[in-house]
């Protein structure tokens, strides 16, 4: 890839990893529009590292509190809000890990098509609109229960289907359960940490087994631009989401889905 392609794809990955707009659809567009080649395993690892560092640095205080609380109180009868939240992240991660391990190869072979991505981008975009329009949005993150966390985790399984958007489906579930917009976004971002870590680890293992040469300059730029775009995305999204709601992202998803459908049937 050229440096220009590296920068554009890294920025796209960093932004779409956390916005409810589907990273799969956006990474498909450059290939369709400009004929760009696949970024490859090494680049995939790099942008995952950048996104992971961004979300961990942004939530460093919450992660620190949750880790200490889980270690000191996680197995006692009297748990704090932070130790419970740590458990809820663990519980919500399990379904995607199990189903992802069992279905990864099948999904890669059968579901990663432009038509599937276009359809899921539109369908789950409309579902996000419905959730945001009808939700009560009264509950905050510190009152989340393990049952609600598990439901959000089960919803996250749907993000294994390309085009669904991991952040989009988890925010949709959170809103339907009554969480306010900022709380459902924060839980979605915290939930992304083990998911991105797992995806990055698998990509790294695949890279090692492939034995291909590594362009360290490309990886550095990929990780750096992914980190910056992801961090800014998280900051701005949490600053604005309570005011603007999900409708702008729904409209964007519908337009993106329509463009992808045009490519499919043109």
């Amino acid at each position: 890839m050229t440096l220009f392609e590296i920068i554009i794809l890294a920025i796209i990955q960093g932004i779409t990893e956390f916005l409810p707009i589907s990273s799969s659809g956006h990474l498909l567009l450059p290939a369709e529009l400009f004929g760009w080649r696949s970024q490859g395993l090494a680049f995939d690892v790099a942008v995952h590292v950048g996104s992971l560092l961004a979300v961990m640095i942004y939530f460093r205080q919450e992660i620190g509190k949750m880790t200490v609380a889980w270690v000191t109180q996680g197995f006692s009868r009297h748990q704090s809000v932070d130790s419970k939240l740590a458990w809820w992240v663990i519980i919500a991660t399990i379904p995607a890990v199990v189903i992802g391990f069992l279905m990864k190869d099948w999904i890669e072979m059968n579901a990663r098509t432009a038509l599937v991505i276009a359809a899921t981008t539109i369908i789950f975009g409309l579902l996000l609109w419905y959730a945001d329009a009808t939700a009560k949005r009264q509950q905050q993150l510190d009152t989340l229960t393990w049952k609600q966390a598990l439901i959000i985790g089960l919803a996250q399984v749907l993000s294994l289907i390309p085009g669904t958007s991991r952040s989009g489906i988890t925010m949709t579930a959170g809103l339907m359960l009554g969480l306010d917009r900022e709380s459902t976004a924060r839980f979605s971002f915290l939930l992304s940490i083990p998911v991105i870590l797992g995806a990055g680890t698998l990509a790294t293992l695949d890279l090692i087994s492939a034995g291909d040469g590594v362009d360290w300059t490309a990886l550095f730029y990929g990780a750096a631009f992914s980190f910056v775009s992801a961090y800014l995305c998280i900051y701005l999204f949490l600053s604005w989401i309570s005011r603007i709601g999900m409708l702008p992202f729904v409209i964007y998803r519908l337009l993106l889905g329509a463009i992808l459908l045009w490519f499919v049937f043109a």
Side-chain angles (χ1 to χ4, degrees):
M1 295 184 293
T2 66
L3 179 59
F4 177 75
E5 292 173 3
I6 290 169
I7 292 173
I8 296 300
L9 289 174
I11 291 174
I12 290 174
Q13 176 64 34
I15 292 174
T16 57
E17 185 71 50
F18 299 106
L19 291 183
I21 54 176
S22 169
S23 61
S24 301
H26 288 82
L27 293 175
L28 184 66
L29 278 179
E32 294 288 347
L33 289 172
F34 310 116
W36 291 1
R37 294 179 299 173
S38 172
Q39 60 266 35
L41 282 173
F43 187 79
D44 193 39
V45 171
V47 294
H48 274 91
V49 169
S51 299
L52 181 63
L53 287 175
V55 69
M56 291 188 70
I57 290 175
Y58 188 90
F59 288 101
R60 59 191 180 278
Q61 293 183 350
E62 287 90 337
I63 294 171
K65 291 178 181 178
M66 289 165 57
T67 302
V68 171
W70 187 80
V71 171
T72 58
Q73 301 173 318
F75 298 91
S76 66
R77 292 184 179 180
H78 304 288
Q79 297 191 33
S80 65
V81 171
D82 291 319
S83 65
K84 287 181 180 179
L85 185 57
W87 273 117
W88 302 168
V89 170
I90 294 171
I91 289 172
T93 301
I94 292 173
V97 171
V98 174
I99 301 301
F101 178 78
L102 296 175
M103 301 291 291
K104 179 179 179 293
D105 292 338
W106 186 92
I107 291 171
E108 289 289 337
M109 293 177 60
N110 297 279
R112 195 167 291 279
T113 66
L115 181 58
V116 170
I117 293 172
T120 52
T121 297
I122 293 172
I123 292 169
F124 288 104
L126 292 173
L127 187 62
L128 177 62
W129 166 78
Y130 175 80
D132 191 47
T134 60
K136 295 180 180 179
R137 301 197 300 271
Q138 296 175 341
Q139 188 178 354
Q140 295 184 335
L141 191 56
D142 57 2
T143 61
L144 187 71
T145 67
W146 73 268
K147 291 181 180 179
Q148 291 174 316
L150 180 58
I151 292 172
I152 295 173
L154 291 171
Q156 184 173 234
V157 172
L158 294 173
S159 68
L160 296 171
I161 306 172
T164 301
S165 170
R166 190 209 60 81
S167 57
I169 196 62
T170 52
M171 291 182 197
T172 297
L175 289 168
M176 286 185 169
L177 291 170
L179 288 172
D180 62 53
R181 288 168 177 157
E182 183 176 349
S183 293
T184 194
R186 284 184 171 274
F187 189 68
S188 175
F189 293 155
L190 289 172
L191 196 55
S192 74
I193 295 172
V195 172
I196 297 174
L197 182 60
T201 301
L202 289 176
T204 301
L205 293 175
D206 290 340
L207 177 64
I208 293 172
S209 63
D212 295 333
V214 175
D215 183 350
W216 292 105
T217 302
L219 265 61
F220 172 78
Y221 281 114
F225 280 94
S226 174
F227 168 81
V228 172
S229 59
Y231 191 92
L232 289 174
C233 171
I234 296 170
Y235 173 78
L236 294 174
F237 187 84
L238 290 176
S239 300
W240 295 344
I241 191 58
S242 295
R243 297 193 300 272
I244 67 174
M246 297 294 181
L247 185 58
F249 304 103
V250 172
I251 295 173
Y252 184 86
R253 285 185 68 128
L254 296 180
L255 292 174
L256 175 62
I259 292 172
L260 292 173
L261 285 176
W262 182 81
F263 281 121
V264 171
F265 295 107

